[in-house]
């Protein structure tokens, strides 16, 4: 009897200002299997914000909500709301190093408060049936020993009941580096994450950080349960067209990027009718034809025209005409 690999075998990272609902809808056209994540949403925004911070489309499933916060009661309240709205996982951010996040006492600084993280996870697990997971770093500031990492994982797993961790294989510097530098300056340490799996074989562990190709993802999957891809999946989304076949063993037929763009039209029409600007959707699609002649013209046409008042499907169709005839047809 064959069983389908779990969705967290390959996921697309939560990225602030990037992985919004339009982005996720687009990515879902490219991969049916990968687990998608929301941008990080703070508990304060959900509980006190004016907008609907839990909005998503049924077609995005499976999709996980990433929460930022450190108050167990507020997190539990938000987790309950998210489960009621149909999200398939709640993820606690213990990895983001920005000052704004630290001032709110969440993100990477929580690595130094393992017992509090455990309380947060337990509070959420007590009120929802869906998985509650943690995304973290391998250390913070001078607290970057392997023992520190093991202690954090052990505490959150045993006291909080967390059985799934996504590990960004870099430490975070809480001061002195910008969030962008924190994604690039601290060195990646994949072996440390592999070692963690050997020492905690009962836990589900996924790796994040610097993954740029599906062959790299396959390599990580020899040692770990899952791989999370971030910027590469966003900037070169065509890579996602191979995920279902290569990482999930799906027999889904080859995907045509032009057909993917046109499959977005009903969604775009619906969004335009609700007052969304075309550019809010198409900005996530700019990288689709990377490496294909005409890709630059596609990007330029959308970038220059999608934000104009009244811009609609015809703008996308015109952009498509600059690239469509240059795509080598697959036999």
């Amino acid at each position: 009897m064959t069983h389908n690999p779990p969705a967290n075998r390959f996921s697309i990272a939560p990225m602030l200002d990037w992985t919004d609902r339009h982005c996720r809808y687009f990515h879902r056209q490219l991969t049916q299997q990968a687990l998608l994540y929301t941008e990080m949403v703070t508990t304060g925004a959900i509980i006190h914000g004016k907008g609907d911070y839990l909005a998503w489309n049924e077609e995005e499933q499976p999709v996980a909500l990433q929460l930022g916060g450190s108050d167990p009661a507020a997190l539990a309240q938000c987790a309950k709301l998210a489960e009621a709205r149909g999200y398939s996982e709640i993820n606690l951010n213990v990895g983001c190093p920005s000052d704004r996040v630290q001032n709110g006492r969440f993100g990477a600084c929580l690595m130094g408060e393992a017992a509090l993280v455990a309380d947060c996870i337990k509070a959420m697990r007590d009120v929802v049936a869906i998985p509650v997971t943690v995304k973290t770093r391998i250390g913070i500031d001078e607290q970057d020993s392997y023992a520190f990492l093991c202690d954090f994982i052990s505490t959150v797993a045993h006291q909080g009941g967390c059985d799934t961790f996504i590990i960004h294989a870099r430490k975070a510097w809480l001061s002195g580096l910008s969030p962008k530098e924190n994604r690039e300056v601290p060195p990646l340490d994949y072996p440390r994450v592999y070692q963690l799996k050997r020492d905690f074989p009962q836990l589900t562990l996924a790796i994040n950080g610097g993954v740029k190709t599906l062959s790299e993802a396959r390599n990580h999957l020899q040692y770990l349960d899952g791989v999370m891809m971030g910027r590469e999946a966003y900037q070169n989304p065509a890579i996602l067209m191979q995920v279902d076949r290569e990482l999930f063993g799906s027999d889904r037929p080859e995907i045509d990027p032009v057909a993917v763009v046109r499959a977005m039209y009903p969604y775009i029409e619906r969004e335009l009718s609700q007052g969304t600007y075309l550019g809010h959707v198409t900005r996530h699609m700019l990288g689709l034809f990377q490496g294909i002649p005409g890709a630059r013209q596609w990007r330029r046409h959308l970038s220059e025209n999608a934000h104009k008042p009244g811009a609609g499907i015809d703008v996308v169709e015109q952009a498509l005409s600059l690239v469509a005839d240059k795509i080598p047809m697959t036999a």
Side-chain angles (χ1 to χ4, degrees):
M1 185 175 144
T2 59
H3 66 285
N4 288 332
N8 59 13
R9 179 175 169 82
F10 181 86
S11 59
I12 299 171
M15 291 178 280
L16 212 49
D17 299 325
W18 289 13
T19 50
D20 63 17
R21 61 193 179 86
H22 306 310
C23 175
R24 298 191 305 268
Y25 190 96
F26 169 55
H27 284 170
R28 186 54 78 214
Q29 309 306 308
L30 302 165
T31 164
Q32 293 170 349
Q33 306 283 335
L35 179 62
L36 305 181
Y37 279 81
T38 67
E39 306 166 87
M40 181 187 69
V41 187
T42 65
T43 53
I46 294 170
I47 297 169
H48 306 294
K50 297 262 187 290
D52 179 2
Y53 287 90
L54 294 177
W56 64 293
N57 301 281
E58 190 58 46
E59 299 93 336
E60 294 172 29
Q61 279 287 27
V63 59
L65 173 73
Q66 189 184 58
L67 287 174
S70 58
D71 172 16
L75 286 163
Q77 182 183 345
C78 293
K80 219 169 163 174
L81 289 170
E83 183 180 50
R85 291 290 286 275
Y87 283 94
S88 50
E89 176 187 312
I90 308 293
N91 177 265
L92 181 65
N93 182 320
V94 188
C96 179
S98 84
D99 292 342
R100 192 164 56 102
V101 163
Q102 286 179 63
N103 293 337
R105 196 175 172 215
F106 52 90
C109 63
L110 286 176
M111 273 202 90
E113 300 188 62
L116 174 59
V117 174
D119 289 346
C120 289
I121 297 299
K122 185 174 187 317
M124 290 189 278
R125 286 188 43 130
D126 284 349
V127 296
V128 300
I130 56 176
V132 179
T133 66
V134 166
K135 184 169 189 285
T136 188
R137 295 270 182 148
I138 55 172
I140 45 172
D141 296 342
E142 304 304 336
Q143 296 174 293
D144 62 356
S145 68
Y146 183 65
F148 171 78
L149 177 60
C150 286
D151 186 54
F152 173 81
I153 297 291
S154 177
T155 301
V156 177
H158 293 134
Q159 294 176 24
C162 185
D163 57 11
T164 301
F165 294 82
I166 300 112
I167 317 275
H168 186 148
R170 285 184 173 94
K171 75 171 182 180
W173 285 103
L174 297 180
S175 55
L177 291 186
S178 70
K180 181 177 187 297
E181 289 167 330
N182 256 305
R183 289 192 298 269
E184 296 162 358
V185 174
L188 285 158
D189 190 346
Y190 295 142
R192 181 168 290 201
V193 186
Y194 298 166
Q195 183 63 45
L196 208 56
K197 179 64 186 178
R198 289 195 288 272
D199 292 336
F200 295 89
Q202 75 282 12
L203 297 177
T204 297
L205 297 182
I207 199 164
N208 170 231
V211 182
K212 288 188 163 54
T213 67
L214 295 190
S215 63
E216 287 172 26
R218 269 198 305 273
N219 186 51
H220 288 310
L221 287 168
Q222 295 176 41
Y223 306 97
L224 295 155
D225 305 294
V227 174
M228 177 180 272
M229 184 182 275
R231 288 173 149 61
E232 192 65 27
Y234 187 92
Q235 288 161 347
N236 181 19
I239 200 171
L240 301 175
M241 299 195 302
Q242 308 301 327
V243 163
D244 294 1
R245 294 159 68 96
E246 292 199 21
L247 300 184
F248 288 90
S250 158
D251 53 8
R252 189 182 181 195
E254 195 78 28
I255 303 171
D256 166 19
V258 174
V260 165
V261 172
R262 293 197 169 124
M264 289 292 292
Y265 288 0
Y267 175 80
I268 291 173
E269 295 278 21
R270 192 168 82 213
E271 286 297 322
L272 292 176
S273 73
Q274 291 164 9
T276 302
Y277 285 105
L278 177 65
H280 289 167
V281 181
T282 56
R283 71 187 184 102
H284 304 296
M285 301 164 63
L286 296 178
L288 181 59
F289 296 105
Q290 193 171 307
I292 291 171
R296 185 177 292 141
Q297 291 90 323
W298 153 265
R299 286 197 305 272
R300 182 187 299 145
H301 191 83
L302 285 180
S303 300
E304 290 174 357
N305 298 288
H307 289 282
K308 291 179 179 171
I313 296 293
D314 54 325
V315 170
V316 189
E317 209 35 50
Q318 286 155 9
L320 213 45
S321 71
L322 301 170
V323 73
D325 59 346
K326 301 182 177 69
I327 295 176
M329 293 310 291
T330 48

